[in-house]
Amino acid sequence: MVTIYSTTHCPYCKMAKDYLNKNNVEYKAINVEMDDEAAAEMIRKSGQTGVPVIDVNGTIIIGFDREAINQALGI
C-alpha cells in the first residue's frame, strides 16, 4: 500500500504523483490541507510538516526522492 500526503499547490507532490502514475503504482492521495487528522498522522509517521511524505508499506520517504521510492517499491 502506498500513501502520499500532499497539498493542493505543492509542485513536488505533483511530480511524485506523476512518477507513481508513470510507473503504474496504485496509491492513496491524502490532501493534508483538507484533513487535519491526516496531517497529524503524517507528522506522527514522519516527524515532518512539509510535503510530500510518501508511505510505502511502512517505509517513510520525505520529499520526492526517486531513488528511495524505487528502492521501497523494488523497481
Side-chain angles (χ1 to χ4, degrees):
M1 177 62 156
V2 177
T3 303
I4 182 167
Y5 298 90
S6 63
T7 60
T8 307
H9 301 290
C10 167
Y12 294 102
C13 300
K14 181 179 178 350
M15 289 190 307
K17 290 175 193 175
D18 289 347
Y19 186 74
L20 293 172
N21 288 331
K22 177 183 160 201
N23 286 283
N24 298 313
V25 175
E26 290 186 34
Y27 61 90
K28 178 180 177 183
I30 299 176
N31 186 330
V32 295
E33 284 179 316
M34 307 293 192
D35 188 337
D36 291 339
E37 207 171 289
E41 177 182 290
M42 177 191 79
I43 294 166
R44 188 173 56 253
K45 285 183 177 183
S46 68
Q48 301 290 311
T49 57
V51 289
V53 170
I54 305 167
D55 181 344
V56 180
N57 297 317
T59 299
I60 303 300
I61 302 165
I62 309 300
F64 175 46
D65 182 340
R66 282 185 188 95
E67 190 174 313
I69 293 168
N70 291 345
Q71 185 175 7
L73 291 172
I75 58 174

